[in-house]
Amino acid sequence: MARRSGSVLLSLMLCLAAAAWLVSESATFVAPQRAAQVAEAPMTETPMHLDKGMQAAVLAAALTAPQAAYAGNGAYALLQLGWAIFIISLGPAVLFWIYFNKPELL
């Protein structure tokens, strides 16, 4: 029996539409500058200096971006749900353990 999946067909159609759009829009690109114009124009931009917080945010975004590819996977959603339940249930579990085993800490 043949496998029926609309997502493969949908993704193929989306890729073809994107390719057709890129081909039709290729005439709107601006031609690059000639080497002579680039050589005589001095570089006036200064390098950007970011504070530590911004560097950390950019680094975190760059490191988590590859994980976005797995977000559409159903198994990944189930994994995230399992970890969320586990982490959320740790709080009450620790409080109950302290209440019954070490009440002097409360």
Side-chain angles (χ1 to χ4, degrees):
M1 192 161 154
R3 184 177 137 210
R4 295 172 53 187
S5 176
S7 62
V8 174
L9 182 61
L10 182 65
S11 62
L12 180 65
M13 290 176 58
L14 183 64
C15 288
L16 288 174
W21 179 74
L22 285 174
V23 169
S24 69
E25 294 293 321
S26 64
T28 60
F29 289 119
V30 178
Q33 294 181 349
R34 291 180 294 200
Q37 289 176 343
V38 173
E40 67 187 39
M43 185 174 167
T44 58
E45 293 183 18
T46 59
M48 189 168 52
H49 297 288
L50 301 174
D51 62 338
K52 294 287 185 188
M54 185 61 76
Q55 285 178 354
V58 169
L59 181 63
L63 290 176
T64 57
Q67 296 300 320
Y70 299 115
N73 192 345
Y76 185 76
L78 187 62
L79 177 72
Q80 291 295 313
L81 182 63
W83 276 109
I85 291 170
F86 175 70
I87 290 171
I88 290 171
S89 65
L90 276 180
V94 169
L95 287 176
F96 277 118
W97 185 87
I98 292 172
Y99 181 77
F100 288 112
N101 295 315
K102 300 276 185 180
E104 66 273 5
L105 293 177
L106 296 174

Coordinates of all heavy atoms in Angstrom, one line a residue:
M1 N 0.8 -1.2 0.0 CA 0.0 0.0 0.0 C 0.9 1.2 0.0 O 1.9 1.3 0.7 CB -0.9 0.0 1.2 CG -2.0 1.0 1.2 SD -3.2 0.4 2.4 CE -3.9 1.9 2.7
A2 N 0.5 2.2 -0.8 CA 1.3 3.4 -0.9 C 1.2 4.3 0.3 O 0.1 4.4 0.9 CB 0.9 4.2 -2.2
R3 N 2.3 5.0 0.7 CA 2.2 5.9 1.8 C 1.6 7.2 1.4 O 2.0 7.8 0.4 CB 3.7 6.1 2.2 CG 3.8 7.0 3.5 CD 5.2 7.1 3.9 NE 5.4 8.5 4.3 CZ 6.5 9.2 4.2 NH1 7.6 8.6 3.7 NH2 6.6 10.4 4.5
R4 N 0.6 7.6 2.1 CA -0.1 8.8 1.8 C 0.4 9.9 2.8 O 0.2 9.8 4.0 CB -1.6 8.6 2.0 CG -2.1 7.7 0.9 CD -3.6 7.3 1.2 NE -4.4 8.5 1.3 CZ -5.6 8.5 1.7 NH1 -6.2 7.4 1.9 NH2 -6.3 9.7 1.7
S5 N 1.0 11.0 2.2 CA 1.4 12.1 3.1 C 1.3 13.4 2.3 O 1.9 13.5 1.2 CB 2.9 11.8 3.5 OG 3.3 12.9 4.2
G6 N 0.5 14.2 2.8 CA 0.3 15.5 2.2 C 1.5 16.5 2.4 O 1.7 17.4 1.7
S7 N 2.2 16.2 3.5 CA 3.3 17.2 3.9 C 4.4 17.2 2.9 O 5.0 18.2 2.6 CB 3.8 16.9 5.3 OG 4.4 15.6 5.3
V8 N 4.7 16.0 2.3 CA 5.8 15.9 1.3 C 5.4 16.7 0.0 O 6.2 17.5 -0.5 CB 6.1 14.4 0.9 CG1 7.0 14.3 -0.2 CG2 6.5 13.7 2.1
L9 N 4.1 16.5 -0.4 CA 3.6 17.2 -1.5 C 3.6 18.7 -1.3 O 4.0 19.6 -2.1 CB 2.3 16.7 -1.9 CG 1.6 17.4 -3.2 CD1 2.5 17.1 -4.4 CD2 0.2 16.8 -3.4
L10 N 3.1 19.1 -0.1 CA 3.1 20.5 0.3 C 4.4 21.2 0.3 O 4.6 22.3 -0.2 CB 2.4 20.7 1.7 CG 2.2 22.1 2.2 CD1 1.2 22.8 1.2 CD2 1.7 22.1 3.6
S11 N 5.4 20.5 0.9 CA 6.8 21.0 1.0 C 7.4 21.1 -0.4 O 8.1 22.1 -0.7 CB 7.7 20.2 1.9 OG 7.8 18.9 1.4
L12 N 7.1 20.2 -1.3 CA 7.6 20.2 -2.7 C 7.0 21.4 -3.4 O 7.7 22.2 -4.1 CB 7.3 18.9 -3.4 CG 7.8 18.9 -4.8 CD1 9.3 18.9 -4.9 CD2 7.2 17.6 -5.5
M13 N 5.7 21.6 -3.2 CA 5.1 22.8 -3.9 C 5.6 24.1 -3.3 O 5.8 25.1 -4.1 CB 3.5 22.7 -3.7 CG 2.9 21.6 -4.5 SD 1.1 21.4 -4.2 CE 0.5 23.0 -4.7
L14 N 5.8 24.2 -2.0 CA 6.4 25.4 -1.4 C 7.8 25.7 -2.0 O 8.1 26.8 -2.3 CB 6.4 25.2 0.1 CG 6.9 26.4 0.9 CD1 5.9 27.6 0.7 CD2 7.0 26.1 2.3
C15 N 8.6 24.6 -2.1 CA 10.0 24.8 -2.7 C 9.9 25.3 -4.1 O 10.7 26.2 -4.5 CB 10.8 23.6 -2.5 SG 11.3 23.2 -0.9
L16 N 9.0 24.7 -4.9 CA 8.9 25.1 -6.3 C 8.3 26.6 -6.4 O 8.8 27.3 -7.2 CB 7.9 24.2 -7.0 CG 8.5 22.8 -7.3 CD1 7.4 21.9 -7.9 CD2 9.7 22.9 -8.2
A17 N 7.4 26.9 -5.5 CA 6.9 28.3 -5.5 C 8.0 29.3 -5.1 O 8.1 30.4 -5.7 CB 5.7 28.4 -4.6
A18 N 8.8 28.9 -4.1 CA 9.9 29.8 -3.7 C 11.0 29.9 -4.9 O 11.5 31.0 -5.1 CB 10.6 29.3 -2.5
A19 N 11.3 28.8 -5.5 CA 12.2 28.9 -6.6 C 11.7 29.7 -7.8 O 12.4 30.5 -8.4 CB 12.5 27.5 -7.1
A20 N 10.4 29.6 -8.1 CA 9.8 30.4 -9.2 C 9.8 31.9 -8.8 O 10.1 32.8 -9.6 CB 8.4 30.0 -9.4
W21 N 9.6 32.2 -7.5 CA 9.6 33.6 -7.1 C 11.0 34.2 -7.1 O 11.2 35.3 -7.6 CB 9.1 33.7 -5.6 CG 9.1 35.1 -5.1 CD1 8.3 36.1 -5.4 CD2 10.0 35.6 -4.1 NE1 8.6 37.2 -4.7 CE2 9.7 36.9 -3.9 CE3 11.1 35.1 -3.5 CZ2 10.4 37.7 -3.1 CZ3 11.8 35.9 -2.6 CH2 11.5 37.2 -2.4
L22 N 12.0 33.4 -6.8 CA 13.4 33.8 -6.8 C 13.8 34.1 -8.3 O 14.5 35.0 -8.6 CB 14.3 32.9 -6.2 CG 14.3 32.9 -4.7 CD1 15.2 31.7 -4.1 CD2 14.8 34.2 -4.1
V23 N 13.4 33.2 -9.2 CA 13.7 33.4 -10.6 C 13.1 34.6 -11.2 O 13.7 35.4 -11.9 CB 13.4 32.1 -11.4 CG1 13.5 32.4 -12.9 CG2 14.3 31.0 -11.0
S24 N 11.8 34.9 -10.8 CA 11.1 36.0 -11.3 C 11.6 37.3 -10.7 O 11.6 38.4 -11.4 CB 9.6 35.9 -11.1 OG 9.3 36.0 -9.7
E25 N 12.1 37.3 -9.5 CA 12.6 38.5 -8.8 C 14.1 38.7 -9.1 O 14.7 39.7 -8.6 CB 12.4 38.4 -7.3 CG 10.9 38.4 -6.9 CD 10.3 39.7 -7.2 OE1 10.9 40.7 -7.0 OE2 9.1 39.7 -7.6
S26 N 14.8 37.9 -9.9 CA 16.2 38.0 -10.1 C 16.6 39.3 -10.8 O 17.7 39.8 -10.7 CB 16.8 36.8 -10.8 OG 16.2 36.7 -12.1
A27 N 15.6 39.9 -11.6 CA 15.9 41.1 -12.4 C 15.9 42.3 -11.5 O 16.4 43.4 -11.9 CB 14.9 41.2 -13.5
T28 N 15.4 42.2 -10.3 CA 15.3 43.4 -9.4 C 16.6 43.6 -8.5 O 16.7 44.6 -7.8 CB 14.1 43.3 -8.5 OG1 14.3 42.1 -7.7 CG2 12.8 43.2 -9.2
F29 N 17.5 42.7 -8.6 CA 18.7 42.8 -7.8 C 19.6 43.9 -8.4 O 19.7 44.1 -9.6 CB 19.5 41.5 -7.8 CG 18.9 40.5 -6.9 CD1 18.5 39.3 -7.5 CD2 18.7 40.7 -5.6 CE1 17.9 38.3 -6.7 CE2 18.1 39.7 -4.8 CZ 17.7 38.6 -5.3
V30 N 20.3 44.7 -7.6 CA 21.2 45.7 -8.0 C 22.5 45.2 -8.3 O 23.1 44.3 -7.6 CB 21.3 46.8 -6.8 CG1 22.2 47.9 -7.2 CG2 19.9 47.3 -6.5
A31 N 23.1 45.7 -9.4 CA 24.4 45.2 -9.8 C 25.5 45.6 -8.8 O 25.4 46.7 -8.2 CB 24.8 45.7 -11.2
P32 N 26.5 44.8 -8.6 CA 27.5 45.2 -7.6 C 28.4 46.3 -8.1 O 28.5 46.6 -9.3 CB 28.3 43.9 -7.5 CG 28.1 43.1 -8.7 CD 26.7 43.5 -9.1
Q33 N 29.0 47.0 -7.2 CA 29.9 48.1 -7.6 C 31.1 47.6 -8.3 O 31.6 46.5 -8.1 CB 30.4 48.9 -6.4 CG 29.2 49.6 -5.7 CD 29.7 50.4 -4.5 OE1 30.9 50.2 -4.0 NE2 28.9 51.2 -3.9
R34 N 31.7 48.4 -9.2 CA 32.9 48.0 -9.8 C 34.1 48.1 -8.9 O 34.0 48.8 -7.9 CB 33.2 48.9 -11.0 CG 32.1 48.7 -12.1 CD 32.4 49.6 -13.3 NE 32.2 50.9 -12.8 CZ 32.0 52.0 -13.5 NH1 32.0 51.9 -14.8 NH2 31.7 53.2 -13.0
A35 N 35.1 47.4 -9.2 CA 36.3 47.3 -8.3 C 36.9 48.7 -8.1 O 37.5 49.0 -7.0 CB 37.3 46.3 -8.8
A36 N 36.9 49.5 -9.1 CA 37.6 50.8 -9.0 C 36.8 51.7 -8.1 O 37.4 52.5 -7.3 CB 37.6 51.5 -10.4
Q37 N 35.5 51.6 -8.1 CA 34.7 52.5 -7.1 C 34.9 52.0 -5.7 O 35.0 52.8 -4.8 CB 33.2 52.4 -7.5 CG 32.9 53.1 -8.8 CD 31.4 52.9 -9.1 OE1 30.7 52.0 -8.6 NE2 30.9 53.8 -10.0
V38 N 35.0 50.7 -5.5 CA 35.2 50.2 -4.2 C 36.6 50.5 -3.6 O 36.8 50.9 -2.5 CB 35.0 48.6 -4.2 CG1 35.4 48.0 -2.9 CG2 33.6 48.3 -4.6
A39 N 37.6 50.5 -4.5 CA 39.0 50.8 -4.1 C 39.2 52.2 -3.7 O 39.9 52.5 -2.7 CB 40.0 50.4 -5.2
E40 N 38.5 53.2 -4.3 CA 38.7 54.6 -4.0 C 37.8 55.1 -2.8 O 38.1 56.1 -2.2 CB 38.5 55.5 -5.2 CG 37.0 55.5 -5.7 CD 36.8 56.2 -7.0 OE1 37.7 56.1 -7.9 OE2 35.8 56.9 -7.1
A41 N 36.8 54.3 -2.5 CA 35.9 54.7 -1.4 C 36.4 54.2 -0.1 O 36.6 53.0 0.1 CB 34.5 54.2 -1.7
P42 N 36.8 55.2 0.8 CA 37.3 54.7 2.1 C 36.2 54.1 3.0 O 35.0 54.4 2.9 CB 37.8 56.0 2.8 CG 37.0 57.0 2.2 CD 36.7 56.6 0.8
M43 N 36.6 53.2 3.8 CA 35.6 52.5 4.7 C 35.4 53.4 5.9 O 36.3 53.8 6.6 CB 36.2 51.2 5.2 CG 35.2 50.4 6.0 SD 35.9 48.8 6.3 CE 34.8 48.3 7.6
T44 N 34.2 53.9 6.1 CA 33.8 54.8 7.1 C 33.1 54.2 8.3 O 32.9 54.8 9.3 CB 33.0 55.9 6.6 OG1 31.8 55.4 6.0 CG2 33.7 56.7 5.5
E45 N 32.8 52.9 8.2 CA 32.0 52.2 9.3 C 33.0 51.8 10.4 O 34.1 51.4 10.1 CB 31.3 51.0 8.8 CG 30.2 51.4 7.8 CD 29.4 50.1 7.4 OE1 29.5 49.1 8.1 OE2 28.7 50.2 6.4
T46 N 32.6 52.0 11.6 CA 33.4 51.5 12.7 C 32.9 50.2 13.2 O 31.7 49.9 13.0 CB 33.3 52.5 13.9 OG1 31.9 52.6 14.3 CG2 33.8 53.9 13.5
P47 N 33.7 49.3 13.7 CA 33.2 48.0 14.1 C 32.3 48.2 15.3 O 32.4 49.1 16.1 CB 34.5 47.3 14.5 CG 35.6 48.3 14.7 CD 35.2 49.5 13.8
M48 N 31.3 47.3 15.4 CA 30.3 47.4 16.4 C 30.8 46.7 17.7 O 31.2 45.6 17.6 CB 29.0 46.7 15.9 CG 27.8 47.0 16.8 SD 26.2 46.5 16.1 CE 26.5 44.9 15.6
H49 N 30.7 47.4 18.8 CA 31.1 46.8 20.1 C 29.8 46.6 20.9 O 29.1 47.6 21.2 CB 32.0 47.8 20.8 CG 33.3 48.0 20.1 ND1 34.3 47.0 20.0 CD2 33.8 49.1 19.4 CE1 35.3 47.5 19.3 NE2 35.0 48.7 18.9
L50 N 29.6 45.4 21.3 CA 28.4 45.0 22.1 C 28.8 44.8 23.5 O 29.9 44.4 23.9 CB 27.8 43.8 21.5 CG 27.3 43.8 20.1 CD1 26.9 42.4 19.6 CD2 26.2 44.8 19.9
D51 N 27.9 45.2 24.4 CA 28.1 44.9 25.8 C 28.0 43.4 26.1 O 27.5 42.6 25.2 CB 27.2 45.7 26.7 CG 25.7 45.4 26.5 OD1 25.4 44.9 25.4 OD2 24.9 45.6 27.4
K52 N 28.3 43.0 27.3 CA 28.4 41.5 27.6 C 27.0 40.9 27.5 O 26.8 39.8 27.1 CB 28.9 41.3 29.0 CG 30.4 41.7 29.1 CD 31.3 40.7 28.5 CE 32.7 41.1 28.7 NZ 33.6 40.3 27.9
G53 N 25.9 41.6 28.0 CA 24.6 41.1 27.9 C 24.1 40.9 26.5 O 23.5 39.8 26.2
M54 N 24.4 41.8 25.6 CA 24.0 41.7 24.2 C 24.8 40.5 23.5 O 24.3 39.8 22.7 CB 24.3 43.0 23.5 CG 23.8 42.9 22.0 SD 22.0 42.6 21.9 CE 21.4 44.2 22.3
Q55 N 26.1 40.4 23.9 CA 26.9 39.3 23.3 C 26.3 38.0 23.8 O 26.3 37.0 23.0 CB 28.4 39.4 23.8 CG 29.1 40.5 23.1 CD 30.6 40.6 23.6 OE1 30.9 40.0 24.6 NE2 31.3 41.5 23.0
A56 N 25.9 37.9 25.0 CA 25.4 36.6 25.5 C 24.0 36.3 24.8 O 23.8 35.2 24.4 CB 25.1 36.7 27.0
A57 N 23.2 37.3 24.5 CA 22.0 37.1 23.9 C 22.2 36.7 22.4 O 21.5 35.8 21.9 CB 21.1 38.4 23.9
V58 N 23.1 37.3 21.7 CA 23.4 36.9 20.3 C 24.0 35.5 20.3 O 23.6 34.7 19.4 CB 24.4 38.0 19.7 CG1 24.9 37.5 18.4 CG2 23.7 39.3 19.5
L59 N 24.9 35.2 21.2 CA 25.4 33.8 21.3 C 24.3 32.8 21.5 O 24.3 31.7 20.9 CB 26.5 33.8 22.3 CG 27.2 32.4 22.4 CD1 27.9 32.1 21.1 CD2 28.2 32.4 23.6
A60 N 23.4 33.1 22.5 CA 22.4 32.2 22.8 C 21.4 32.0 21.6 O 21.0 30.8 21.3 CB 21.6 32.7 24.0
A61 N 21.1 33.1 20.9 CA 20.3 32.9 19.7 C 21.0 32.1 18.6 O 20.4 31.3 17.9 CB 19.9 34.3 19.2
A62 N 22.3 32.3 18.4 CA 23.0 31.6 17.4 C 23.1 30.1 17.8 O 23.1 29.2 16.9 CB 24.4 32.2 17.2
L63 N 23.2 29.8 19.1 CA 23.3 28.4 19.5 C 22.0 27.7 19.4 O 22.0 26.4 19.2 CB 24.0 28.3 20.8 CG 25.4 28.7 20.9 CD1 25.9 28.6 22.4 CD2 26.3 27.8 20.1
T64 N 20.9 28.4 19.6 CA 19.6 27.7 19.6 C 19.0 27.7 18.3 O 18.0 26.9 18.1 CB 18.6 28.4 20.6 OG1 18.5 29.8 20.3 CG2 19.1 28.2 22.0
A65 N 19.5 28.5 17.3 CA 18.9 28.5 16.0 C 18.9 27.1 15.3 O 17.9 26.8 14.7 CB 19.5 29.5 15.1
P66 N 19.9 26.3 15.4 CA 19.9 25.0 14.7 C 18.8 24.1 15.3 O 18.3 23.2 14.7 CB 21.3 24.4 14.9 CG 22.2 25.6 15.2 CD 21.3 26.6 15.8
Q67 N 18.5 24.3 16.6 CA 17.5 23.4 17.2 C 16.1 23.8 16.7 O 15.2 23.0 16.9 CB 17.5 23.6 18.8 CG 18.8 23.1 19.3 CD 19.1 21.7 19.1 OE1 18.2 20.9 19.1 NE2 20.3 21.4 18.8
A68 N 15.9 24.9 16.1 CA 14.6 25.2 15.6 C 14.1 24.3 14.5 O 12.9 24.1 14.2 CB 14.6 26.7 15.0
A69 N 15.1 23.6 13.8 CA 14.7 22.7 12.8 C 14.0 21.5 13.3 O 13.2 20.8 12.6 CB 16.0 22.2 12.0
Y70 N 14.2 21.1 14.6 CA 13.5 20.0 15.2 C 12.1 20.3 15.8 O 11.4 19.4 16.2 CB 14.4 19.4 16.3 CG 15.7 18.9 15.8 CD1 16.9 19.5 16.3 CD2 15.8 17.9 14.9 CE1 18.1 19.1 15.8 CE2 17.0 17.4 14.5 CZ 18.2 18.0 14.9 OH 19.4 17.6 14.5
A71 N 11.8 21.6 15.8 CA 10.6 22.0 16.5 C 9.3 21.5 15.8 O 8.3 21.3 16.5 CB 10.5 23.5 16.6
G72 N 9.3 21.2 14.5 CA 8.2 20.7 13.8 C 8.0 19.2 14.0 O 6.9 18.7 13.6
N73 N 8.9 18.6 14.6 CA 8.8 17.1 14.8 C 7.9 16.8 16.0 O 8.0 17.4 17.1 CB 10.2 16.6 15.1 CG 10.3 15.1 15.0 OD1 9.3 14.4 15.0 ND2 11.5 14.6 14.9
G74 N 7.0 15.9 15.8 CA 6.0 15.5 16.9 C 6.8 14.9 18.1 O 6.4 15.1 19.3
A75 N 7.8 14.1 17.8 CA 8.5 13.5 18.9 C 9.3 14.6 19.8 O 9.4 14.4 21.0 CB 9.6 12.5 18.4
Y76 N 9.7 15.6 19.1 CA 10.4 16.7 19.9 C 9.4 17.4 20.8 O 9.7 17.7 21.9 CB 11.0 17.7 18.9 CG 11.8 18.8 19.5 CD1 13.0 18.6 20.0 CD2 11.3 20.1 19.7 CE1 13.8 19.5 20.6 CE2 12.0 21.1 20.3 CZ 13.2 20.8 20.7 OH 14.0 21.8 21.3
A77 N 8.1 17.6 20.3 CA 7.1 18.2 21.1 C 6.8 17.3 22.4 O 6.6 17.8 23.5 CB 5.9 18.5 20.3
L78 N 6.7 16.0 22.1 CA 6.5 15.1 23.2 C 7.6 15.1 24.2 O 7.4 15.1 25.4 CB 6.3 13.7 22.7 CG 5.8 12.6 23.7 CD1 4.5 13.0 24.3 CD2 5.8 11.3 23.0
L79 N 8.9 15.2 23.7 CA 10.0 15.3 24.6 C 10.0 16.6 25.5 O 10.2 16.5 26.7 CB 11.3 15.3 23.8 CG 12.6 15.4 24.5 CD1 12.9 14.2 25.3 CD2 13.7 15.7 23.5
Q80 N 9.6 17.7 24.8 CA 9.5 18.9 25.6 C 8.4 18.9 26.6 O 8.6 19.4 27.7 CB 9.3 20.1 24.6 CG 10.4 20.4 23.7 CD 11.6 20.9 24.5 OE1 11.5 21.8 25.3 NE2 12.8 20.4 24.2
L81 N 7.3 18.3 26.3 CA 6.2 18.1 27.2 C 6.7 17.3 28.4 O 6.4 17.6 29.6 CB 5.0 17.5 26.5 CG 3.8 17.4 27.4 CD1 3.3 18.7 27.8 CD2 2.7 16.7 26.6
G82 N 7.4 16.2 28.1 CA 7.8 15.3 29.2 C 8.8 16.1 30.2 O 8.7 15.9 31.4
W83 N 9.7 16.8 29.6 CA 10.7 17.6 30.4 C 9.9 18.6 31.2 O 10.3 18.9 32.4 CB 11.8 18.2 29.6 CG 12.9 17.2 29.4 CD1 13.2 16.6 28.2 CD2 13.8 16.7 30.3 NE1 14.3 15.8 28.4 CE2 14.7 15.8 29.7 CE3 14.0 17.0 31.7 CZ2 15.7 15.2 30.3 CZ3 15.1 16.3 32.3 CH2 15.9 15.4 31.6
A84 N 8.9 19.3 30.6 CA 8.2 20.3 31.3 C 7.5 19.7 32.5 O 7.5 20.3 33.6 CB 7.2 21.0 30.4
I85 N 6.8 18.6 32.3 CA 6.1 17.9 33.4 C 7.1 17.5 34.5 O 6.9 17.7 35.7 CB 5.3 16.7 32.9 CG1 4.2 17.2 32.1 CG2 4.8 15.9 34.1 CD1 3.4 16.1 31.3
F86 N 8.3 17.0 34.1 CA 9.3 16.5 35.1 C 9.8 17.7 35.9 O 9.8 17.6 37.1 CB 10.4 15.9 34.3 CG 11.6 15.5 35.2 CD1 11.4 14.4 36.1 CD2 12.8 16.2 35.2 CE1 12.5 14.1 37.0 CE2 13.8 15.8 36.0 CZ 13.7 14.8 36.9
I87 N 10.1 18.8 35.3 CA 10.7 20.0 36.0 C 9.6 20.6 36.9 O 9.9 21.0 38.0 CB 11.3 21.0 35.0 CG1 12.5 20.3 34.3 CG2 11.6 22.3 35.6 CD1 13.1 21.1 33.2
I88 N 8.4 20.8 36.3 CA 7.4 21.4 37.2 C 7.0 20.5 38.4 O 6.7 21.0 39.4 CB 6.1 21.7 36.3 CG1 6.4 22.8 35.3 CG2 4.9 22.0 37.1 CD1 5.4 23.0 34.2
S89 N 7.1 19.2 38.2 CA 6.7 18.3 39.4 C 7.8 18.3 40.4 O 7.6 17.8 41.5 CB 6.4 16.9 38.9 OG 7.5 16.3 38.3
L90 N 9.0 18.7 40.0 CA 10.1 18.7 41.0 C 9.9 19.6 42.2 O 10.3 19.2 43.3 CB 11.5 19.0 40.3 CG 12.2 17.9 39.6 CD1 13.5 18.5 39.0 CD2 12.5 16.8 40.5
G91 N 9.3 20.7 42.0 CA 9.1 21.7 43.0 C 8.2 21.2 44.2 O 8.7 21.1 45.3
P92 N 7.0 20.7 43.9 CA 6.2 20.1 44.9 C 6.8 18.9 45.5 O 6.7 18.6 46.7 CB 4.9 19.8 44.2 CG 4.8 20.7 43.0 CD 6.2 20.9 42.6
A93 N 7.5 18.0 44.7 CA 8.1 16.8 45.3 C 9.2 17.2 46.3 O 9.2 16.5 47.4 CB 8.7 16.0 44.1
V94 N 10.0 18.2 46.0 CA 11.0 18.6 47.0 C 10.4 19.2 48.2 O 10.8 18.9 49.3 CB 12.0 19.6 46.3 CG1 12.9 20.2 47.3 CG2 12.8 18.9 45.2
L95 N 9.3 19.9 48.1 CA 8.7 20.5 49.2 C 8.0 19.4 50.1 O 8.1 19.5 51.3 CB 7.6 21.5 48.8 CG 8.2 22.9 48.3 CD1 7.0 23.8 47.8 CD2 9.0 23.6 49.3
F96 N 7.4 18.4 49.5 CA 6.8 17.4 50.3 C 7.9 16.6 51.0 O 7.7 16.2 52.1 CB 6.0 16.4 49.4 CG 4.6 16.9 49.1 CD1 4.1 17.2 47.9 CD2 3.7 17.1 50.2 CE1 2.9 17.7 47.7 CE2 2.4 17.5 50.0 CZ 2.0 17.8 48.7
W97 N 9.0 16.3 50.3 CA 10.1 15.6 50.9 C 10.6 16.3 52.1 O 10.9 15.8 53.2 CB 11.2 15.3 49.9 CG 12.3 14.5 50.5 CD1 12.3 13.1 50.5 CD2 13.5 14.9 51.2 NE1 13.5 12.7 51.1 CE2 14.2 13.8 51.6 CE3 14.0 16.2 51.5 CZ2 15.4 13.9 52.2 CZ3 15.2 16.3 52.1 CH2 15.9 15.1 52.5
I98 N 10.8 17.7 52.0 CA 11.3 18.5 53.1 C 10.3 18.5 54.2 O 10.6 18.3 55.4 CB 11.6 19.9 52.6 CG1 12.8 19.9 51.7 CG2 11.9 20.8 53.8 CD1 13.1 21.2 51.1
Y99 N 9.0 18.6 53.9 CA 7.9 18.6 54.9 C 7.9 17.4 55.8 O 7.7 17.4 57.0 CB 6.6 18.9 54.2 CG 5.4 19.0 55.2 CD1 5.2 20.1 55.9 CD2 4.5 17.9 55.4 CE1 4.2 20.2 56.8 CE2 3.5 18.0 56.2 CZ 3.3 19.2 56.9 OH 2.2 19.3 57.8
F100 N 8.0 16.2 55.1 CA 7.9 15.0 55.9 C 9.2 14.4 56.4 O 9.2 13.7 57.4 CB 7.3 13.9 55.0 CG 5.8 14.1 54.7 CD1 5.4 14.4 53.4 CD2 4.9 14.0 55.7 CE1 4.0 14.7 53.2 CE2 3.6 14.2 55.5 CZ 3.1 14.6 54.2
N101 N 10.4 14.8 55.9 CA 11.6 14.3 56.3 C 12.5 15.3 57.1 O 13.2 14.9 58.0 CB 12.4 13.8 55.1 CG 11.7 12.6 54.5 OD1 11.3 11.7 55.1 ND2 11.7 12.6 53.2
K102 N 12.4 16.6 56.7 CA 13.2 17.6 57.4 C 12.4 18.8 57.7 O 12.6 19.9 57.1 CB 14.4 18.0 56.5 CG 15.4 16.9 56.1 CD 16.4 16.8 57.1 CE 17.4 15.8 56.6 NZ 18.4 15.5 57.6
P103 N 11.4 18.7 58.6 CA 10.5 19.8 58.8 C 11.2 21.0 59.5 O 10.7 22.1 59.4 CB 9.4 19.3 59.8 CG 10.0 18.0 60.3 CD 11.0 17.5 59.3
E104 N 12.4 20.8 60.1 CA 13.1 21.9 60.7 C 13.6 22.9 59.6 O 13.9 24.1 59.9 CB 14.3 21.4 61.5 CG 15.4 20.7 60.8 CD 15.2 19.2 60.6 OE1 14.1 18.7 60.9 OE2 16.1 18.6 60.1
L105 N 13.7 22.5 58.4 CA 14.2 23.4 57.3 C 13.1 24.4 57.0 O 13.4 25.5 56.4 CB 14.6 22.6 56.1 CG 15.8 21.8 56.2 CD1 16.1 21.0 54.9 CD2 17.0 22.6 56.6
L106 N 11.8 24.1 57.2 CA 10.7 25.0 56.9 C 10.6 25.9 58.0 O 10.3 26.9 58.3 CB 9.4 24.2 56.7 CG 9.5 23.3 55.5 CD1 8.2 22.5 55.4 CD2 9.6 24.1 54.2

